Structures are given as C-alpha cells and as structure tokens.
Amino acid sequence: MEVPDTRVFIGFDLTASSNNYFVLNDTTRGLLDSSFVLGGDVLVDVTQYVESVSINRGKSREQDTFTAGNASVVLHNDSRIFDPFYTASPYFSQILPRKEIVITTNGIRQFSGYIDDWDLSYELGGKSYASVSAIDGFLQLSSTQLAPFTNTVQLSGERIVSIINRPEVAWPVALRDIDTGQSTLQADVISDNPNALGYLQLVEQSELGSLFMAKDGKLTFRDRTNYPPTIDTLIFADDEQANSIGYNDIQVVYGSENLSNRVVVTREGGTPQQADSLESQSIYGVQSLSLDGLLLNSDADALTFADYLVGRNDNPELRFSNVSVQLEGKDIEQVSKILAAEINDVYKVVFTPNGLGDPIEQYGIVTGIRHQIGIDRHTVSFEFGSVQDFVLILDDPIYGRLGGSLPVYDDSNTSYDAPLVRYDGTEEFGYILAF
C-alpha cells in the first residue's frame, strides 16, 4: 500500500471572500430559503499546501498525568495564502490563533484541536513556509478558571461531570466520554480560582485513572477498573505470525523508573499515610513516592491507596516501552487497525531479541501515540505502559493468568483486601482500591 492519505482541515470564516454565504439584508444573498449557507468558521481542506505533519498525544512517563496533545503542520506559503498581511489571500483576517484544526488519515481522525501559533518563515529566493502549532482541547481547559464553590461528596467521574457542567467551563455534552469512577471524593472547597485542567487532573490522580483528549476531540475519563477489550485486536510481532503487524523499531526498558517501595499519600485536610515494602527496600534501597493533596474522602482511603501503589510498584519491571511502525507497505486492514488505535487500548507485543531463544510476549496499555508524516512516509509510534495497572479477572485470557502481577478483582464483591499475585508465584499483602 502507498502512504495513507493524510488531510489537514483548518476552520476559516470565508464569508467576506466567498459569494456562497448568507449575508443578512443582502438583496440576493440575504433571501430566506435560498441556497446560501450561514457564515462562521467552516473546516477548509488545506492539504494541497502541506509539507509535513507531526502529532504527539499521551504522556512521557507512566506515572504522570496525561498532558495536552499537540500537532505541528508545515504549509507551503509561496503564494502568501497564509500570510496575515496579504490582503489578496482568501484567508485574509483569518490567520489567527484558536482556529479549529482537524487531521485525518484515510478518513479517520488522528487529531482534533486548536491552533496556538502561526510562525512564518521567508527565504530570499521566494520560498516561504507557514508553520502551525496546535494543541488539543486541554488548551481551553487550562485557560479556564473555576469560580469559588463547595463540592459535594461524589465519585470521581461524577466530580468531573460536575466541573465541566459549571457555567465557566460549559464543556459540550457531545464531546464527553466519562466513566462513573470508583474513588469517593470529599466535599472540598474550591477557592483561589484554580484552572479547570489542573483540578480535573487532581481528580485523575485521586482515582488512579486516565484523563485525556481523544483524537476525536472528546474529553475522556477512564477509571481504574475500565477494562479494554480482551480480544487481541492488534498484535505487533517480529516473527510474522498470523494476524500480526510487523514493526520497524522496538524499545525495551528495565529499571527503577516506576519503582517505589515507600509511598506516602496525604489527602486534602488529612494526615500522611505511609506504606512500605521492607523486602524491596532491602534489595533496592528506599525508593519513595509522595502524593499530596489528593481528594480522597478519608485517611483510611489514603492508606489503602498507598498500600496498593507499594504492592504494584515495589519491583522493577521488564517491559516494551515503544513500538514504531511504518504505514507504507502495510495492507489496508493493518493500516485501518493502527489508525483506529487510541490511548488506553491494550495490545500484544511479540519480540525475539536478535532472533535467539523463544519469543517474548507481553501486553501493554497505550500511553502515547505519535505520528511523523511526510510526502512519502508515515510512521506511527506507540508508547506502552504496564498492564499491571489492571486487576486480575478470573477466567479472563489476558487478565486472569495465575502467576501474573495483577491484583485479584471480583466485580461482584466490593471488599478489596485480596493478596497480590506476583510473576514468581509468591503472594504479598495488598489492596485493590475501591473507596
């Protein structure tokens, strides 16, 4: 297959430069029941001017919150069509920040956001470019301040909905995909006009969930017990096994990046709650993690939170952290699967280092997706986190393996003091969070 068809659309108001739009009180274009359309920003296809595109969504470290997704588009500007000073341009007066931008590949959205900057470069020979920098909907949330008010006791997802329903936020209902949540949050007092994004990310931390902007522009919240499909919809493999997709590069990490054998959790208005893994400390030394100001409803919940994190993170883990795939050369079915991938999906990765020994198979949760797109190339890179973030489900083919590192979860029983099962078959006391 050739390089997939990537297209870029930017929102422009073309009322002044086109005769196709309705104009109030105009004797021709102002007639009711006419064929003229209402003005305002419409998404205009500017693909013919595109030199290159890059998209970066997700987070760089597994324990971080998700950051704003961003995109960069380089446009040919020899005709000055994207020059804000060129009055002959059909987009004159429209080369502005905060214009909507959408990027699709083979008709599937890969980025939805808003332009933050237009950077123009000129060469003396007449060659020029317009470089567009865009940020997803987190841009709007980060620039919105919350008015003072007092929350009620709510589940984490309910808290997110209550925040984005507030009049100063007014996030569109059509652009939401919010789980109910598992953590019960306290009735905290919001003061000092915090920005909406910062507060929502505090809710994310208090749930151990995932808050991100999906590629279709929806504000998405996944709580910690939201399980991806357990069917292998996408397999990355280097051994050409059936129904798999080959990759061009893979990165493996094994270290202490996520290692924490002492965790101190302090809720808003509470006292510090500490959990330790003495066995891990004797091997690796004390590796501390402190989480302050969480919105948990009691100190007992904070201690459960700390116990869980210690049980999950007290040993280093070997994992595949990154897989890169070039889309050119893949068949249409493979390309469609890759383009359908989203943050928080879980996929299988198969790797035989240097072709020696048995293949290593692991599942990873997608924490980041990056695109590098040029005239004759399109590379997609996936960042993976550990699926030990998901609890064990009995009889499940992925999350039900004995000897895995997933804590036991029984969705018919909300008493969560089951032991953690480790890869070496041993057990260590820990908790599943359900507060």
Side-chain angles (χ1 to χ4, degrees), residues 169-393:
V169 181
W171 192 262
V173 174
L175 294 179
R176 305 178 182 185
D177 186 1
I178 310 296
D179 281 352
T180 302
Q182 301 295 318
S183 291
T184 299
L185 306 186
Q186 62 179 273
D188 62 314
V189 177
I190 291 183
S191 58
D192 299 325
N193 301 107
N195 78 68
L197 178 59
Y199 186 84
L200 292 173
Q201 289 176 327
L202 181 58
V203 175
E204 174 190 11
Q205 289 181 304
S206 301
E207 167 66 38
L208 283 181
S210 300
L211 179 76
F212 58 93
M213 284 291 171
K215 57 189 178 183
D216 61 2
K218 289 183 179 179
L219 177 63
T220 303
F221 175 66
R222 295 287 174 257
D223 66 36
R224 61 182 171 273
T225 59
N226 183 78
Y227 299 100
T230 55
I231 299 173
D232 288 331
T233 56
L234 193 58
I235 302 173
F236 297 103
D238 62 345
D239 59 358
E240 299 182 357
Q241 61 178 263
N243 301 318
S244 68
I245 295 176
Y247 48 82
N248 302 93
D249 185 57
I250 186 169
Q251 296 180 16
V252 182
V253 297
Y254 183 56
S256 60
E257 178 187 34
N258 298 321
L259 176 64
S260 50
N261 49 36
R262 171 172 291 166
V263 177
V264 180
V265 174
T266 308
R267 71 183 183 97
E268 184 69 23
T271 59
Q273 303 296 310
Q274 180 173 311
D276 288 275
S277 172
L278 299 181
E279 180 180 358
S280 174
Q281 291 175 11
S282 69
I283 300 171
Y284 306 109
V286 176
Q287 303 291 322
S288 297
L289 172 66
S290 295
L291 299 173
D292 300 322
L294 299 188
L295 301 175
L296 303 173
N297 199 39
S298 70
D299 283 344
D301 290 347
L303 180 58
T304 301
F305 202 105
D307 282 332
Y308 173 78
L309 287 174
V310 162
R312 190 185 72 175
N313 298 327
D314 64 347
N315 280 300
E317 182 188 25
L318 176 69
R319 62 183 174 86
F320 302 132
S321 64
N322 179 282
V323 169
S324 296
V325 181
Q326 288 182 233
L327 298 189
E328 56 273 19
K330 306 298 182 188
D331 63 41
I332 186 65
E333 181 181 0
Q334 292 175 325
V335 169
S336 296
K337 287 182 177 181
I338 293 170
L339 295 177
E342 182 55 285
I343 290 170
N344 241 49
D345 288 349
V346 169
Y347 299 127
K348 181 193 287 187
V349 180
V350 181
F351 179 47
T352 307
N354 300 329
L356 301 174
D358 295 329
I360 303 170
E361 295 186 6
Q362 282 191 355
Y363 287 90
I365 182 170
V366 177
T367 59
I369 302 176
R370 294 166 177 78
H371 296 255
Q372 291 292 334
I373 306 168
I375 300 299
D376 58 355
R377 60 180 173 80
H378 187 152
T379 302
V380 182
S381 298
F382 294 92
E383 299 288 335
F384 288 106
S386 170
V387 293
Q388 70 177 357
D389 289 352
F390 294 98
V391 292
L392 184 143
I393 308 173

Side-chain angles (χ1 to χ4, degrees), residues 227 230 390-403 406-413 418-419 421:
Y227 299 100
T230 55
F390 294 98
V391 292
L392 184 143
I393 308 173
L394 293 178
D395 300 322
D396 187 272
I398 298 175
Y399 305 106
R401 296 180 179 178
L402 294 178
L406 305 178
V408 175
Y409 172 72
D410 177 1
D411 60 6
S412 66
N413 185 346
V421 184

